[in-house]
Amino acid sequence: MKLRKLVTFFVAVSVMMFSVVAYGADDSLKIKDIGSFYVGGHEIVLEGLPAYDAVFTEGGPVRKVDPNGSFETGQMYVQYVQLKNAKAKYPVLLWHGGGLTGNTWETKADGNPGWQMFFLKAGHNVYVSDAVERGRSSWSRYPEIYKSEPIFRTKKESWESFRIGPTYDDDPSKRISHPGVLFPAESFDQFMKSAVPRWITNNQATQEAYDQLVQKVGPAVIVVHSQSGAFGARAALNAPDKVKAVVLIEPSGAPDPAKENLALLKNIPHLYIWGDNVDKYPTWPKYYANVARYRDALIENGVPVTWIDLPKIGIKGNSHMLMMDKNSDQIAEIIQKWLESQNLMK
Amino acid sequence: MKLRKLVTFFVAVSVMMFSVVAYGADDSLKIKDIGSFYVGGHEIVLEGLPAYDAVFTEGGPVRKVDPNGSFETGQMYVQYVQLKNAKAKYPVLLWHGGGLTGNTWETKADGNPGWQMFFLKAGHNVYVSDAVERGRSSWSRYPEIYKSEPIFRTKKESWESFRIGPTYDDDPSKRISHPGVLFPAESFDQFMKSAVPRWITNNQATQEAYDQLVQKVGPAVIVVHSQSGAFGARAALNAPDKVKAVVLIEPSGAPDPAKENLALLKNIPHLYIWGDNVDKYPTWPKYYANVARYRDALIENGVPVTWIDLPKIGIKGNSHMLMMDKNSDQIAEIIQKWLESQNLMK
């Protein structure tokens, strides 16, 4: 069985898990360019809405606001850092999960470097995007343009559903973490400053923007987390010539394998990584099983798949926010070794 | 008169306006660190709101959403790029204007490099923030937390109030620009993808976050645009020991000089820059006069002030979005020369 070999490979990787990554004496990065752009989106015109009064500067005069007119909607913000001498064949695109922004990949909530810097130092050009409706991608008026209301995730829901611990309390000293959890619980409130509202009716616009991003900067390697798991899997189906690998960090969804031509993906290796404590929740085993069903269909169609349950290779305590956990470099190192094994470095 | 000398200085600068900035044969940047963090904000608890039904994944089951709980509000996102060998004594903080995000300072709407890269290449560590309620700083539920509704600026309002031209039309071929305007009108729709909603009731939280940023990374040079002009002016008053210079690009407001102890600022040079066509509008001359009143009070209190009306030194056609205009490097070069003249480089 193929999976057994891979487990052996990753046991080997885990043995080196505390090895220091050597970047040379001068650990500065030589950067060719830092920049950003928008993909996707279109113009939309609002008409017939009533005007209203507003004060724009505190103590200033009342001004009439006419909300009617034209706007851009559905666009997605992308920021890139390009190295002078990339060692990877293709750029890495980092796609964050629900209710968050590209900040997910930057400096971690505890102040230590995140995966953006890890993959830059490992020699990849890195593209970090904010999903449609989030962060610098902006958002649009509802219900006139977006067809639902925004959802604001509470601290309690985040603490629990991101598998940091079983019990949340507004008093940090009363919060209960999972034993040995690697999310820096003392930085949880800092982490929650990066949470943004989400809508449930913008999936199509988000997929279109991601697909445009792949067309614009591909061939590329896509690294997805949680909600963007389904977007990344579909992006590969939509552009099998442009997607060179997909790394899925705890994807919360996947396309319906019965409806897709998965043979299109036979040259696109997929790496799945799951953290700890999945079975302690009512919802996570369902997400996991749904994605595993897609994985099985990938394997049946000859797609190279690597599936890692971190606890099974001896790495225990990872939350849903693996890229912010204390061992985030260790997880990134597993991904890096896998990319090397897939011949994706120069 | 002091101003006359400065005009002479800037005529000299304008003579070199098409000179090429030499970065050496290898024009890559040596970067020590790229990262981000949040400043400001606090926890807020919502109670007593009704639960409602929502579908989180298209075709998925209906879930009950309880909007009550605790959230972070008022925080501000800051991203930094630190050079291996900075030539400037202090970092530059870039604060954007109303209805926009830190994207203002990155790649321009026409795809050319913006001021973030200019100041990095000139040897400054650069900190780009998203104001509270915008971009990656997130935003909060209204009217429960924010006390007003968001305002979405239309394309027409932006075209007109940013002084790109007198007449907007949804058909780009029918839009009328000011003669010789330097904003890349063909990139206007792309620019509008970077527009975000704004509120009118978050000034205090925004000022507090900016003040915390100054305390965290100062001493620093602050470069502000439009709405953030008033925040930058007050940040200097609130931390005269930490602010080493303020560069105000078309500030739309200023503190009331009668209420402030401006002598606190006597060691903090202020540079004001204004573009073209200010007098063609009903509102711009009012903003300009209000800020000029503050400038006069600064001068009376011995604060070193440089005030540049670009058309008066022969640079015509700049819009309100100077940092996105075609001659943005020329304007940045004026700022850089001024910073050098103020002994702010090593």
Side-chain angles (χ1 to χ4, degrees), chain A residues 154-169:
Chain A
T154 64
K155 289 191 179 185
K156 176 181 164 67
E157 186 191 337
S158 303
W159 180 272
E160 294 172 359
S161 71
F162 291 176
R163 306 201 315 277
I164 297 168
T167 308
Y168 173 79
D169 195 287

Side-chain angles (χ1 to χ4, degrees), chain A residues 252-290:
Chain A
S252 60
D256 181 349
K259 294 183 180 166
E260 307 299 334
N261 177 10
L262 299 184
L264 286 171
L265 305 176
K266 65 180 187 299
N267 296 321
I268 307 177
H270 284 55
L271 168 62
Y272 290 88
I273 299 183
W274 293 87
D276 206 349
N277 299 309
V278 167
D279 55 356
K280 295 205 174 84
Y281 291 79
T283 50
W284 280 109
K286 289 180 199 166
Y287 294 147
Y288 182 97
N290 184 45

Side-chain angles (χ1 to χ4, degrees), chain B residues 181-210:
Chain B
V181 76
L182 291 168
F183 187 89
E186 67 284 2
S187 304
F188 177 75
D189 290 321
Q190 190 64 24
F191 164 59
M192 287 304 297
K193 292 182 190 294
S194 72
V196 298
R198 65 192 297 185
W199 279 262
I200 54 183
T201 45
N202 290 329
N203 283 357
Q204 191 185 333
T206 304
Q207 185 70 56
E208 286 172 7
Y210 278 133

